[in-house]
Amino acid sequence: MAYSIGLDYGTNSVRCLIVDTADGSELGSAIYEYETGEHGVILDSSDHNLARQNPADYIKGLEVTIKKAVAQARKTDRNFNPRDIIGIGVDTTGSTPLPVDKNGRPLSELNKFKDNPNAYAWLWKDHTGFAEAVEITELAKKEHPEYLAKCGGIYSSEWFFSKILHCLRVDPKVFDAAYTWVECADYIPAVLTGTAAPDKLKRGRCPAGHKAMFNHNWGGLPAKDLLAKLDPKLGQLRDRLYNKTYTVDTPAGTLTNTWARKLGLKPAIPVVVGSFDAHLGAIGAGVAPGKLVKIIGTSTCDVSVWPNAQPLPDIPGLCGIVDGSVLPGYFGLEAGQSAVGDIFNWFVNYIQPRGSTKGSHQALTKKAAGLKPGQSGLLALDWNNGNRTILVDQRLTGLILGQTLHTKPEEIYRALIEATAFGALTIINRFEEYGVKISEIINCGGIAEKNPLLMQIYADVTGREMKISRSAQTCALGSAIAGAVVAGKKAGGYDNFFDAQAAMCGMKDVTYKPIAENHKVYQKLYTLYKQLHDAFGLQSWSGKLANVMKDLLNIKDSVNS
Amino acid sequence: MAYSIGLDYGTNSVRCLIVDTADGSELGSAIYEYETGEHGVILDSSDHNLARQNPADYIKGLEVTIKKAVAQARKTDRNFNPRDIIGIGVDTTGSTPLPVDKNGRPLSELNKFKDNPNAYAWLWKDHTGFAEAVEITELAKKEHPEYLAKCGGIYSSEWFFSKILHCLRVDPKVFDAAYTWVECADYIPAVLTGTAAPDKLKRGRCPAGHKAMFNHNWGGLPAKDLLAKLDPKLGQLRDRLYNKTYTVDTPAGTLTNTWARKLGLKPAIPVVVGSFDAHLGAIGAGVAPGKLVKIIGTSTCDVSVWPNAQPLPDIPGLCGIVDGSVLPGYFGLEAGQSAVGDIFNWFVNYIQPRGSTKGSHQALTKKAAGLKPGQSGLLALDWNNGNRTILVDQRLTGLILGQTLHTKPEEIYRALIEATAFGALTIINRFEEYGVKISEIINCGGIAEKNPLLMQIYADVTGREMKISRSAQTCALGSAIAGAVVAGKKAGGYDNFFDAQAAMCGMKDVTYKPIAENHKVYQKLYTLYKQLHDAFGLQSWSGKLANVMKDLLNIKDSVNS
């Protein structure tokens, strides 16, 4: 018997999953809600861009959830022994960097910074560095456009250097006190393996490649002189960052005796180099060349892979193409939609059609399911939170068209679902336009599992079968798979990811196949969606409407300032 | 002392107003809700296009309201004597034609047709003749495009010949039994003056010119051979219609002794030739060259006049340019928006944001009033019911753009109000583009009186002062003014409309002046509105988006069929 642990650090909580390496069955799982801030996020009422986390919550969550999951696994009739756990994998949100001292200790643990949120972890959705993101993008565009070509053409305020540069600007004391900065994904494995000291720390390829412009084509991180032009101190920091990164078949180290004792596990089992949740989620869902994994939640992350031995052009609009960021030996291809579930939540929670009770998701979904494609005459764009792929433009906004004097809430609700489906199709088409053929689509995440209407609409719109990943915790499963691979076949794990996935991944029985007559209508509707998409999204479009949403936002900004 | 009576036949009720001809003060008013059908409209649950009225309700309403208004006037401290009433004016909805026999008696009063809605009055909003409207438009386009040039380029399903041709097609027995067809506006004065017999009946210029393509340029009604091509029987009917029409300075006749006795009025006082409500409303609001009257309700009617001695080009998109349809000696210019109040009603009643109570007009208006122009980032098109002026296109639909994940109902509500204001500005601009300078705008109708936010937005958007007509019953007042003019100066009335208006019309004290900083923002927003307007509304527009709304409606139609 051999088991692997997957740890999945989300925005509000951490989950631990104990998985049988033989078949992926889940023996124990536990969740820990972070204690600091609101639902685990430190906010600032005077600055809605700020979102921080307490690194201490990560460590407490580790201990609580592993112990609980072990206890749960013991209660199964499987004769479970925690000493049969052979490896641990870790995924986290990102980019979520935290400043650490010379010993790799988070600054937030130092007394003088204990009340300073700038010394805490800068959560992925912290946008305080929005001005710095523009600055980085503009400089890189001029001096090193190749840096941006692999991350969609724009460096985001959510990413590593935007956050660090912003800290340097607003709180130099914290910046100066930081020996280096560490992604949460790198920090957790380092803690478990006693490798947090900067000279021992192993950095993951995935965070580095997708958020810090790390690429072997140009020798790793962005050039020192580019960073120095942003600020001399940022240039100096580069020397204290890293030149080497590791894929998820590499152990960050082995579990320390202290941790083994505390958790009741065998000492010296390997802990995998950390990675982002969506990427290990993709592994947990069975990602492989030709397979697209869609992780559908408030937003989506669409992940596929491509053999790194085969040529692959830059694919405009993809958030990232990084060698080894998902599976070793493969380019990780990441796309996504900035809002999916969040758009439905907006309609239900902000507009509250028919009041909040009658207008709930369930009621709207039920009524929307009774409508035929095209029946409402409505068409929407899924841009309420901008467009990540393929337009990479945060300053785009929503659009609904076709309202009459009789348009009903469920018609709008369905049009919003359809809009996200059209957005999903646009991503698939973009992959294929650049030669990345998608032959299979696997969905995971709460919405995929719980909303048959949405899945059927996705099938009908794309004309492709929608499969659903079996595990309800695909990210944690992916981490556990990485744990099993790092442990190796001899220990009861696997030598490679495809073998591990073949054994440990699975699909739900229910799948959604396109209904021909619906697909026919949606093909017509997609033509119209694409017209709107190009008209409002592309500067190059003949009719010149791409100014409309941006001018509105500029007017809004000037009125509000 | 001299008084005049104004009768205003609306969609659900008729109002009577007794007005002092000296100063327009209102001594008595009464309302009668039609009894037949739902709120006075005969509907057909199997055909939502059908809307008919019972002519008997019109006659009963006449008696009830005049008597009530007289009784009310008697109670004032003005020493009122009904024998001082010198004239009666009548306005009605239209085109609302009814089939009558050789004696001018409505077919609905004949026993054999008493349960047949086709023998009743075909209310303005009856759209059963939609196919016939297309047929008439296509034939006229080919053979007599000049007919359409004066009515916006499209013959509507709401109009005279569409309805009659439809009756001919679906119920030839009624058609054959009808000696002729009479507009409601012509029927009421005929009843009061005993001139309902077809050889005595005087037809109003306004209904004829705006709804039946009557124009002296081509000798009156459309050519017999054109009507005969639609159906030989329709050609024959033309001989039993009319060749002469009358403006509102003409008496239809004088009050019969029977009616005088019944109503307690002096016999033989003049009753004016009938006209449509919006046109007499314009008179009641003080319409004159350079003055635009906006009657704002569920939809709007925008009316101005232009001296018929001065050259005036066809103005594309205007619903009608008819010599003498409003004031004698002047072209009546009619424009309008297909939905204004109806759009706000849609949002409140169909979407029910925050539930129907909290999301009521009042609550939304209050919150919307707290927003600054441009603050929401939203922009809407006011096309939920198509666009009457300037695009004359019923197959256009609504659009809202700029939504984020935080867009609130009051922001949408305000964007909808702003959209109707932009639509209003587009109409004003169209008048002025063709040389009809608008120097004053007078608003009337429930929304104008009761919604200061809307009026302020209209002022801010158009950059013009918005005045409000003093009378709450501007249409009935206009009818009373016509009654005073037809009675003449000697009787205590007036020789001409401008004298009568100068004495009898007035504005409310409150007016809405544009706020410079708001206007500045709205100028920017209007530029964007016009971009969307042209992109989605004009076939000729470079970017080719005009197909989008129509394709959606075509798909909707094919799915629903």
Side-chain angles (χ1 to χ4, degrees):
Chain A
M1 304 304 294
Y3 308 99
S4 179
I5 283 182
L7 286 169
D8 167 37
Y9 282 85
T11 300
N12 311 108
S13 59
V14 52
R15 283 154 196 276
C16 170
L17 194 65
I18 299 177
V19 181
D20 189 330
T21 58
D23 60 4
S25 60
E26 299 168 10
L27 280 79
S29 85
I31 186 163
Y32 167 78
E33 314 264 354
Y34 308 136
E35 291 172 25
T36 313
E38 290 182 39
H39 300 287
V41 182
I42 299 165
L43 302 172
D44 179 348
S45 60
S46 69
D47 182 1
H48 68 276
N49 285 314
L50 188 143
R52 307 287 159 80
Q53 286 190 321
N54 186 352
D57 284 342
Y58 302 150
I59 305 310
K60 182 167 177 193
L62 175 61
E63 191 175 340
V64 170
T65 58
I66 292 181
K67 282 182 177 171
K68 257 199 203 166
V70 164
Q72 198 182 75
R74 278 186 195 278
K75 285 185 200 150
T76 61
D77 55 1
R78 299 273 288 271
N79 201 18
F80 167 80
N81 184 339
R83 300 200 57 93
D84 294 332
I85 291 171
I86 60 171
I88 300 176
V90 178
D91 70 81
T92 73
T93 67
S95 170
T96 302
L98 52 144
V100 298
D101 68 9
K102 266 205 162 126
N103 305 312
R105 196 174 165 202
L107 296 189
S108 55
E109 292 180 8
L110 305 183
N111 224 340
K112 66 174 176 177
F113 291 127
K114 73 180 170 38
D115 296 322
N116 185 344
N118 296 325
Y120 283 61
W122 294 49
L123 187 61
W124 66 276
K125 65 178 177 177
D126 183 291
H127 289 106
T128 50
F130 63 89
E132 287 78 9
V134 173
E135 215 179 318
I136 295 170
T137 300
E138 284 177 2
L139 186 66
K141 251 186 200 157
K142 223 168 49 190
E143 308 215 342
H144 289 282
E146 72 278 15
Y147 292 177
L148 300 176
K150 303 290 178 191
C151 62
I154 290 169
Y155 195 79
S156 165
S157 61
E158 292 186 0
W159 296 352
F160 195 69
F161 288 114
S162 301
K163 284 167 168 161
I164 296 173
L165 182 55
H166 185 68
C167 178
L168 195 168
R169 294 266 163 77
V170 298
D171 201 341
K173 274 184 195 158
V174 168
F175 181 88
D176 292 340
Y179 177 80
T180 190
W181 289 69
V182 183
E183 281 283 351
C184 175
D186 297 331
Y187 174 67
I188 310 293
V191 167
L192 285 169
T193 58
T195 60
D199 59 326
K200 293 183 192 158
L201 185 72
K202 281 193 183 149
R203 310 275 189 158
R205 173 73 51 82
C206 162
H210 283 284
K211 311 296 180 186
M213 299 185 279
F214 184 94
N215 195 309
H216 289 128
N217 292 353
W218 48 82
L221 287 173
K224 185 173 177 177
D225 71 317
L226 180 117
L227 297 177
K229 270 185 194 160
L230 294 162
D231 194 296
K233 284 185 180 177
L234 195 67
Q236 290 155 25
L237 175 68
R238 189 191 188 282
D239 295 335
R240 308 193 306 273
L241 289 169
Y242 50 89
N243 294 310
K244 213 166 148 50
T245 58
Y246 300 87
T247 52
V248 286
D249 54 348
T250 320
T254 56
L255 192 66
T256 63
N257 288 338
T258 318
W259 274 111
R261 208 174 312 123
K262 206 184 283 185
L263 299 170
L265 304 181
K266 200 163 62 179
I269 58 171
V271 180
V272 191
V273 154
S275 207
F276 288 150
D277 38 17
H279 291 205
L280 281 170
I283 291 175
V287 76
K291 295 190 188 182
L292 177 70
V293 173
K294 289 181 67 63
I295 300 166
I296 309 179
T298 53
S299 62
T300 72
C301 201
D302 297 22
V303 178
S304 194
V305 294
W306 182 262
N308 67 5
Q310 285 181 33
L312 179 72
D314 291 338
I315 304 179
L318 255 64
C319 319
I321 302 176
V322 175
D323 187 3
S325 70
V326 178
L327 288 173
Y330 293 81
F331 289 113
L333 310 177
E334 185 186 332
Q337 292 173 264
S338 326
V340 172
D342 268 348
I343 297 181
F344 319 142
N345 286 335
W346 159 70
F347 189 59
V348 166
N349 298 331
Y350 279 75
I351 305 304
Q352 296 181 29
R354 297 199 188 100
S356 49
T357 318
K358 276 196 279 178
S360 66
H361 287 291
Q362 289 77 357
L364 285 166
T365 300
K366 199 175 162 192
K367 289 195 174 211
L371 299 169
K372 286 183 276 189
Q375 194 180 359
S376 70
L378 295 177
L379 186 62
L381 288 174
D382 50 325
W383 298 353
N384 289 45
N385 196 27
N387 178 296
R388 194 178 296 161
T389 312
I390 58 173
L391 297 169
V392 199
D393 192 343
Q394 285 189 306
R395 284 178 80 79
L396 291 172
T397 52
L399 181 153
I400 306 174
L401 175 157
Q403 298 91 331
T404 68
L405 295 174
H406 306 282
T407 297
K408 297 193 190 79
E410 55 271 23
E411 294 177 322
I412 294 177
Y413 194 74
R414 187 175 175 117
L416 294 174
I417 294 176
E418 291 167 347
T420 66
F422 296 139
L425 176 56
T426 307
I427 291 173
I428 295 167
N429 289 345
R430 175 52 52 100
F431 275 115
E432 297 204 327
E433 284 155 18
Y434 285 80
V436 181
K437 173 97 189 119
I438 303 297
S439 54
E440 192 176 336
I441 300 176
I442 305 156
N443 298 275
C444 48
I447 294 185
E449 286 165 32
K450 289 173 201 156
N451 197 324
L453 173 65
L454 180 132
M455 279 290 99
Q456 186 59 53
I457 288 175
Y458 276 47
D460 291 343
V461 164
T462 60
R464 293 157 187 261
E465 183 176 359
M466 292 288 141
K467 298 181 179 174
I468 315 282
S469 169
R470 187 181 58 201
S471 174
Q473 298 184 28
T474 317
C475 298
L477 173 62
S479 290
I481 288 171
V485 169
V486 164
K489 199 169 178 181
K490 238 169 62 185
Y494 296 92
D495 282 344
N496 65 70
F497 276 92
F498 293 135
D499 287 352
Q501 286 175 306
M504 297 172 73
C505 298
M507 299 296 139
K508 282 193 195 297
D509 290 338
V510 58
T511 77
Y512 300 87
K513 290 184 181 160
I515 296 166
E517 66 178 309
N518 291 353
H519 181 53
K520 225 168 128 182
V521 176
Y522 279 133
Q523 281 181 306
K524 290 183 201 165
L525 291 175
Y526 182 69
T527 304
L528 299 176
Y529 171 89
K530 199 61 178 22
Q531 264 192 284
L532 295 181
H533 175 282
D534 292 353
F536 287 98
L538 297 180
Q539 295 292 342
S540 57
W541 189 72
S542 66
K544 304 291 171 213
L545 278 182
N547 67 304
V548 175
M549 290 170 179
K550 292 184 172 57
D551 284 359
L552 282 169
L553 290 176
N554 290 337
I555 292 167
K556 178 177 178 173
D557 290 346
S558 70
V559 166
N560 285 333
S561 70
Chain B
M1 303 306 291
Y3 309 99
S4 180
I5 282 181
L7 287 168
D8 168 37
Y9 283 84
T11 299
N12 312 106
S13 59
V14 50
R15 283 155 194 275
C16 169
L17 194 66
I18 299 178
V19 181
D20 189 329
T21 58
D23 60 3
S25 59
E26 299 168 10
L27 279 80
S29 85
I31 187 163
Y32 166 78
E33 314 265 352
Y34 308 136
E35 292 172 25
T36 314
E38 289 182 41
H39 300 287
V41 182
I42 299 164
L43 302 172
D44 179 348
S45 61
S46 69
D47 181 359
H48 67 276
N49 286 315
L50 188 142
R52 306 288 160 82
Q53 287 190 320
N54 186 352
D57 285 341
Y58 301 150
I59 307 308
K60 181 166 178 194
L62 175 62
E63 193 176 339
V64 169
T65 58
I66 292 180
K67 281 182 176 171
K68 257 199 201 166
V70 164
Q72 199 185 74
R74 278 185 195 281
K75 285 187 201 151
T76 61
D77 55 1
R78 299 275 289 271
N79 202 17
F80 167 80
N81 184 339
R83 300 198 58 92
D84 294 333
I85 290 170
I86 60 171
I88 300 176
V90 178
D91 70 81
T92 73
T93 68
S95 172
T96 303
L98 52 144
V100 299
D101 68 10
K102 265 202 163 131
N103 305 310
R105 198 173 165 204
L107 296 190
S108 56
E109 292 180 8
L110 305 183
N111 224 338
K112 66 174 177 178
F113 291 127
K114 73 179 170 44
D115 296 322
N116 184 343
N118 295 327
Y120 283 63
W122 295 48
L123 187 60
W124 66 275
K125 65 178 178 179
D126 184 290
H127 290 105
T128 51
F130 64 89
E132 287 79 8
V134 173
E135 213 179 320
I136 294 170
T137 300
E138 284 177 2
L139 187 66
K141 251 185 201 161
K142 221 168 47 188
E143 308 214 344
H144 289 282
E146 71 277 15
Y147 293 176
L148 300 175
K150 303 289 178 192
C151 62
I154 290 169
Y155 196 80
S156 165
S157 62
E158 293 186 359
W159 296 353
F160 196 68
F161 287 114
S162 302
K163 285 167 167 162
I164 296 174
L165 183 56
H166 185 69
C167 179
L168 195 166
R169 295 264 164 76
V170 299
D171 200 341
K173 274 185 195 154
V174 168
F175 181 88
D176 291 341
Y179 176 79
T180 190
W181 289 69
V182 184
E183 280 283 351
C184 174
D186 297 331
Y187 174 67
I188 310 293
V191 168
L192 285 169
T193 58
T195 60
D199 59 326
K200 291 185 193 156
L201 184 72
K202 281 193 183 147
R203 310 273 191 159
R205 174 73 51 81
C206 161
H210 283 284
K211 311 296 180 186
M213 299 186 278
F214 183 93
N215 195 309
H216 289 128
N217 291 354
W218 49 83
L221 287 173
K224 186 173 177 176
D225 72 315
L226 179 117
L227 297 178
K229 270 185 195 160
L230 293 161
D231 195 295
K233 282 185 180 176
L234 194 67
Q236 291 154 23
L237 175 69
R238 189 192 188 282
D239 296 335
R240 309 194 305 275
L241 288 169
Y242 51 88
N243 295 310
K244 212 167 147 51
T245 57
Y246 300 88
T247 52
V248 285
D249 53 349
T250 318
T254 56
L255 191 67
T256 63
N257 289 336
T258 317
W259 273 110
R261 208 174 312 120
K262 205 182 283 184
L263 300 170
L265 303 181
K266 201 162 63 179
I269 58 172
V271 180
V272 192
V273 155
S275 207
F276 288 150
D277 39 17
H279 292 203
L280 280 170
I283 290 176
V287 77
K291 294 189 188 182
L292 177 70
V293 173
K294 289 181 68 62
I295 300 166
I296 309 178
T298 52
S299 62
T300 72
C301 201
D302 297 22
V303 178
S304 194
V305 293
W306 181 260
N308 68 5
Q310 286 180 31
L312 179 72
D314 292 339
I315 304 179
L318 255 64
C319 320
I321 302 177
V322 175
D323 187 2
S325 70
V326 178
L327 288 173
Y330 293 81
F331 288 114
L333 310 177
E334 187 186 331
Q337 291 173 265
S338 325
V340 172
D342 269 348
I343 297 181
F344 318 141
N345 286 335
W346 159 71
F347 189 58
V348 166
N349 297 332
Y350 279 74
I351 304 305
Q352 297 181 30
R354 296 200 188 99
S356 49
T357 318
K358 276 196 278 175
S360 67
H361 288 292
Q362 289 77 359
L364 285 166
T365 301
K366 199 175 160 191
K367 287 194 175 212
L371 299 168
K372 285 183 277 187
Q375 195 179 1
S376 70
L378 295 177
L379 185 63
L381 288 174
D382 50 324
W383 298 352
N384 289 46
N385 195 27
N387 178 297
R388 194 179 295 159
T389 312
I390 58 174
L391 297 170
V392 200
D393 192 341
Q394 286 188 304
R395 285 177 81 78
L396 291 172
T397 51
L399 181 153
I400 306 174
L401 175 157
Q403 297 91 330
T404 68
L405 294 174
H406 306 283
T407 297
K408 298 194 190 78
E410 55 270 22
E411 294 178 322
I412 294 177
Y413 194 74
R414 186 175 176 117
L416 295 173
I417 294 177
E418 290 168 346
T420 67
F422 295 139
L425 176 56
T426 307
I427 290 174
I428 296 167
N429 288 345
R430 174 52 54 101
F431 275 116
E432 298 204 327
E433 284 156 16
Y434 285 80
V436 180
K437 172 96 191 121
I438 303 296
S439 53
E440 192 176 335
I441 300 176
I442 305 155
N443 298 275
C444 47
I447 293 184
E449 287 165 32
K450 289 174 201 154
N451 197 323
L453 172 66
L454 179 132
M455 279 290 98
Q456 187 60 52
I457 289 174
Y458 276 47
D460 291 343
V461 164
T462 60
R464 294 158 187 261
E465 183 176 359
M466 292 288 141
K467 297 180 180 175
I468 315 283
S469 170
R470 186 181 58 202
S471 174
Q473 298 184 28
T474 316
C475 298
L477 174 63
S479 291
I481 288 172
V485 169
V486 164
K489 197 169 178 179
K490 239 166 65 184
Y494 296 91
D495 282 344
N496 66 70
F497 275 92
F498 292 135
D499 287 352
Q501 286 175 305
M504 297 172 72
C505 298
M507 298 298 140
K508 282 193 197 295
D509 289 338
V510 59
T511 76
Y512 299 86
K513 290 185 182 158
I515 297 165
E517 67 178 308
N518 290 353
H519 181 53
K520 225 169 127 181
V521 175
Y522 279 133
Q523 282 181 306
K524 290 183 203 165
L525 291 175
Y526 182 69
T527 304
L528 299 176
Y529 171 90
K530 198 61 180 18
Q531 264 192 285
L532 295 181
H533 176 281
D534 293 353
F536 288 98
L538 297 180
Q539 295 292 341
S540 57
W541 189 71
S542 65
K544 305 289 172 215
L545 278 182
N547 66 303
V548 175
M549 291 171 178
K550 293 184 170 57
D551 284 359
L552 282 169
L553 289 176
N554 291 337
I555 292 168
K556 178 177 177 172
D557 290 347
S558 70
V559 166
N560 284 333
S561 71

